[in-house]
Amino acid sequence: MKKYLVFIENSEGELDWISPFIKYESKKGAEFYFYLDRLGRDYEEKSCILEKYGFDSSNLINGDEIFDPFDIFIYKVVNKLSYIYSGRSKLSRIFPTDKKRNDFFHFLLRPYFFLKNPNQSNEKEVFDVIFRDYNIKSSLALSYYLNINKKANVIVYPHAVGIQPKNENRVPPFKIKCDLWLENTKRSLYAKEVYEKELFVSGPPALSDAIDNPLFDSESKNVLILTRNWMEQYGYNFEDALVLFDKLLENLSHLGFKALIKHHPRDESLERWRDIQSKYDHIEEFKGSLSDFDTSLRVCLTLFSTAGIYVLAKGVPVIDFSPYKKLSEFNVTLPFHFASKDTEVVTHELPSLGIYKQEQNLEEIVNIVSDGLKLAHMSASQQKILYSNFPSRANEVISSKLKEIHNH
């Protein structure tokens, strides 16, 4: 029986991506253990997160029982320093060779992290495969497990379900031990130069069974709205987004539609969104995983996010309503965005390919949402483009690829 370690850095997005594959492989007898590093404040909260995804918390590794208090204290200090300086000082993105990205503070302490042994032995230590996401940050726990599992296959998997294009404003990843670098689509060229031999386009596991389980219903009264944590690099003004969100909820209420709202799990401005929600009575907040979402929908309205792919894969049309600025009004480099071909307005890969529709005009959004026939046409068109870019049977091909590399 193969044993897998799934290392989650700090986002539920990583669990969203990999959880369908875990469930698929578990049915064949594979055994999975989880280490949630900075996701969840304590063991109890981490257990609740894991159980929300349908996994047994008994397979959750408790770092407090493995590492001594001093190690944990040092690691928390390093993470705090990294957070303080991240995006505010060039020091936080220094790497001594060839402009490869790494976190300065973690880099200095990497030897300490890698050589440090745990305080006590733990039966959840030896693994055949270690999954880690493509943020590839240093970690006390991950360094330890890589050190004692030198023969384990290391698989790097995407943080989310979207496209990771090569972009001159985004520094490429640095080289680490990696047997397989999984990608969502052949358009994801972010890591190709560094991991050309290891790169394998599998597609997102969530798409494996999605097309066989449609959710789109042009007569449904349910509208899914995806908000997100705001960053200036995302190309729109946060206050404008709040105003548009408010007006959308007001119009949906007048039309008799129910708004199902999914907020970004790491959003530090949730109270701003929820203050607006509280004015309306046709709201339901969804806190689960979109990979398990099974409610019929009329349409999905999203601020900049790849998460709409989860429901688009099941036929639900997606409209990006981000109130983007014109590029001439924007002074920060955009690692995920660029100017549209026809206008100066900022866009990103998903609308530019036709996978999402991009629309900022409130009246036009309301007209589209009200028109079931137009939504049906959007559904067919967007889903066709999605599956022409994203492989649809990731679970099977990842499983087959793992057998291949394990037998070498």
Side-chain angles (χ1 to χ4, degrees), residues 131-142:
F131 280 91
R132 60 181 298 176
D133 95 291
Y134 64 40
N135 281 315
I136 53 178
K137 297 176 182 177
S138 297
S139 161
L140 171 64
L142 183 57

Side-chain angles (χ1 to χ4, degrees), residues 25-234:
E25 203 70 3
S26 295
K27 291 178 181 178
K28 299 191 297 180
E31 189 174 359
F32 285 85
Y33 290 87
F34 302 84
Y35 194 100
L36 308 189
D37 194 14
R38 290 183 290 163
L39 178 58
R41 290 170 295 183
D42 51 35
Y43 184 76
E44 182 178 354
E45 187 172 306
K46 294 174 191 287
S47 297
C48 290
I49 291 171
L50 208 58
E51 290 170 355
K52 182 174 72 173
Y53 282 79
F55 300 123
D56 193 334
S57 61
S58 65
N59 286 6
L60 174 64
I61 298 171
N62 188 351
D64 291 340
E65 294 180 354
I66 298 176
F67 299 99
D68 62 53
F70 180 74
D71 290 334
I72 294 174
F73 171 75
I74 289 293
Y75 185 48
K76 287 182 177 179
V77 169
V78 170
N79 283 335
K80 188 66 174 179
L81 288 172
S82 174
Y83 175 78
I84 292 173
Y85 280 90
S86 178
R88 303 180 189 180
S89 168
K90 292 182 179 179
L91 186 65
S92 67
R93 289 293 175 253
I94 289 177
F95 190 77
T97 59
D98 197 26
K99 298 182 179 179
K100 304 302 183 187
R101 177 180 176 179
N102 193 22
D103 182 275
F104 180 72
F105 298 101
H106 285 107
F107 174 70
L108 288 180
L109 288 179
R110 180 182 289 178
Y112 174 82
F113 287 166
F114 198 84
L115 297 174
K116 188 71 177 177
N117 288 323
N119 187 45
Q120 62 185 50
S121 62
N122 189 290
E123 61 181 8
K124 302 170 185 177
E125 289 186 350
V126 181
F127 297 97
D128 301 297
V129 179
I130 297 176
F131 280 91
R132 60 181 298 176
D133 95 291
Y134 64 40
N135 281 315
I136 53 178
K137 297 176 182 177
S138 297
S139 161
L140 171 64
L142 183 57
S143 296
Y144 165 69
Y145 281 110
L146 291 172
N147 187 36
I148 64 171
N149 289 280
K150 291 184 173 67
K151 294 183 179 180
N153 295 125
V154 178
I155 315 300
V156 178
Y157 64 97
H159 164 79
V161 294
I163 299 171
Q164 290 295 319
K166 184 178 179 181
N167 188 307
E168 62 182 13
N169 294 323
R170 189 178 183 194
V171 181
F174 59 92
K175 189 71 174 179
I176 60 164
K177 171 181 166 56
C178 170
D179 296 288
L180 195 63
W181 182 292
L182 300 177
E183 276 295 358
N184 292 317
T185 166
K186 60 186 177 182
R187 292 182 177 273
S188 293
L189 302 176
Y190 162 61
K192 186 174 183 180
E193 290 184 8
V194 181
Y195 292 96
E196 184 174 5
K197 294 181 180 179
E198 298 87 358
L199 194 140
F200 178 70
V201 179
S202 64
L207 269 61
S208 289
D209 302 315
I211 200 167
D212 301 322
N213 297 282
L215 291 181
F216 173 61
D217 180 358
S218 62
E219 300 299 319
S220 173
K221 293 295 184 179
N222 297 323
V223 175
L224 177 66
I225 300 180
L226 306 178
T227 69
R228 74 158 304 132
N229 59 321
W230 178 83
M231 294 177 66
E232 190 176 7
Q233 295 95 323
Y234 292 162

Side-chain angles (χ1 to χ4, degrees), residues 248-264:
L248 279 173
L249 293 184
E250 181 181 5
N251 277 270
L252 291 176
S253 177
H254 290 160
L255 292 169
F257 294 140
K258 178 180 180 180
L260 304 173
I261 301 175
K262 168 73 170 172
H263 295 299
H264 194 280

Side-chain angles (χ1 to χ4, degrees), residues 15-25 55 205-206 291 395:
L15 270 172
D16 283 324
W17 194 93
I18 201 170
S19 60
F21 174 74
I22 295 172
K23 293 171 183 177
Y24 171 84
E25 203 70 3
F55 300 123
S291 63
N395 288 336

